[in-house]
Amino acid sequence: MSTEFDNSWSALLNPGRATQYFNIDYPRLSLDTSAYSNSTALWLAELSRLIYRKDKNKKNKLIIPNRSEILKKVALQETRYFSQGNTAGAIVEYQQAVQFAVLVFCGTQESQGWFTNLNTLPTRWPEGGRVHRGFKKALENVWPAVETYLSTLKVPVFYTGHSLGAALATLAAARRPPQALYTFGTPRVGDAEFSKIFENIKAYRIVNHRDLIVTVPLAALGFCHVGELHYLAHDNKMLVKPNEEVVVADRKKADFTLQNSVNHSRWLDPPECLSDHAPINYVAHLERQL
């Protein structure tokens, strides 16, 4: 059974509480090209959702099933987990017929993460341009250890993440280019000069309809997006590289998922501009693209 849309506060603020993952028969991930692929996007969206799931709860009790058990069902293995300050993520590997690895960063989990998001003062990026100070600091918490492990891999490596995790994956790609970068609900990360780094990097930016987080930090502050836009419209169609006028017009239209959600009391749910940011709704949309 395919993943259902979930427009609840829990899906938005506590995505790691979900227990069902990889709900459909996922197609084999193709590594022949770094061009955009719906199947690759789906794999990486689900990993970006799963990384929110913790191994222990606040009472230090094990959460069942854990990430390793979930990944094992689809022949994946979490070979490295890193966590420092408010930055967390993992490297996941597939080592059967087709070998690849994924560097996946976790999005905002605790209050510290929101301070990271709000620390928007631009700061110099060594490879060129200026970037969001909070995002840069968050990546620097773990980058030495991450880069050391990446240097040992001899297989194609994809980078991904949702929200704050997407911003960190973008910065990581600017440091060490991947096979391809897929981001979900990413905020803006750097300025126009920084974006030039991505002229030769395969980067794909997936945006779900009215997702508010993709509009910050404001362009008026000098921030801009990177990567090829793949926009999930109100009727679930995927629009590739739509212009701004098309996106603005579509964001005014009601989302069909409001009638296809597991929630029935819309007045208790977050507004659509927030519920569209929930990781599960990215996954649900991308399953339907296949």
Side-chain angles (χ1 to χ4, degrees):
M1 184 175 69
S2 59
T3 301
E4 295 184 359
F5 293 97
D6 188 342
N7 297 319
S8 68
W9 283 108
S10 179
L12 174 66
L13 300 177
N14 299 292
R17 289 185 180 177
T19 57
Q20 298 297 316
Y21 297 87
F22 300 103
N23 291 325
I24 65 171
D25 186 13
Y26 274 45
R28 172 179 272 187
L29 186 62
S30 173
L31 301 179
D32 296 334
T33 176
S34 55
Y36 178 84
S37 162
N38 277 328
S39 60
T40 302
L42 177 56
W43 276 99
L44 300 186
E46 190 69 316
L47 289 175
S48 296
R49 182 169 77 103
L50 177 61
I51 195 62
Y52 282 99
R53 187 170 180 79
K54 298 180 179 179
D55 286 337
K56 295 182 179 180
N57 61 23
K58 292 182 178 180
K59 296 182 179 180
N60 207 36
K61 292 184 178 180
L62 293 176
I63 296 176
I64 303 297
N66 61 30
R67 290 191 309 276
S68 295
E69 292 169 330
I70 294 167
L71 290 169
K72 187 177 181 180
K73 293 180 179 179
V74 287
L76 290 171
Q77 180 182 6
E78 185 179 287
T79 52
R80 285 292 184 277
Y81 181 78
F82 45 89
S83 178
Q84 183 67 38
N86 61 333
T87 311
I91 294 175
V92 175
E93 298 183 55
Y94 184 84
Q95 298 179 325
Q96 293 194 2
V98 178
Q99 296 186 6
F100 65 90
V102 177
L103 169 61
V104 52
F105 287 94
C106 188
T108 305
Q109 299 184 86
E110 308 291 347
S111 58
Q112 282 184 314
W114 291 109
F115 287 117
T116 295
N117 296 339
L118 293 172
N119 188 8
T120 61
L121 187 67
T123 188
R124 190 179 67 84
W125 183 251
E127 287 75 19
R130 303 178 76 81
V131 300
H132 184 292
R133 182 183 295 270
F135 298 159
K136 180 185 177 185
K137 183 177 180 181
L139 180 69
E140 289 173 343
N141 285 339
V142 298
W143 183 247
V146 171
E147 187 174 37
T148 296
Y149 189 78
L150 288 175
S151 66
T152 69
L153 298 176
K154 307 300 181 184
V155 298
V157 183
F158 294 84
Y159 295 1
T160 194
H162 167 265
S163 195
L164 169 62
L168 299 181
T170 300
L171 289 176
R175 282 266 169 90
R176 186 186 181 99
Q179 175 81 359
L181 166 70
Y182 282 72
T183 62
F184 306 93
T186 183
R188 297 183 178 98
V189 175
D191 63 10
E193 186 68 23
F194 170 78
S195 71
K196 293 179 181 178
I197 299 173
F198 288 81
E199 290 176 355
N200 297 310
I201 297 175
K202 296 294 184 181
Y204 307 105
R205 180 169 60 93
I206 295 87
V207 171
N208 182 18
H209 195 214
R210 291 176 173 169
D211 188 339
L212 179 66
I213 302 304
V214 305
T215 68
V216 297
L218 297 176
L221 299 177
F223 290 91
C224 65
H225 280 297
V226 303
E228 182 178 279
L229 174 59
H230 289 250
Y231 174 75
L232 292 160
H234 76 285
D235 55 1
N236 198 49
K237 291 180 180 178
M238 176 76 83
L239 306 182
V240 180
K241 296 190 289 187
N243 61 41
E244 186 175 357
E245 289 182 358
V246 169
V247 173
V248 169
D250 187 78
R251 286 169 75 96
K252 296 177 181 178
K253 300 176 182 178
D255 195 325
F256 89 105
T257 64
L258 300 183
Q259 287 77 45
N260 292 272
S261 171
V262 295
N263 313 109
H264 304 291
S265 303
R266 282 297 305 165
W267 66 279
L268 292 176
D269 298 332
E272 191 183 340
C273 63
L274 295 180
S275 63
D276 276 358
H277 187 63
I280 194 170
N281 291 331
Y282 275 89
V283 170
H285 270 295
L286 288 165
E287 284 184 356
R288 286 155 179 78
Q289 296 301 310
L290 296 174

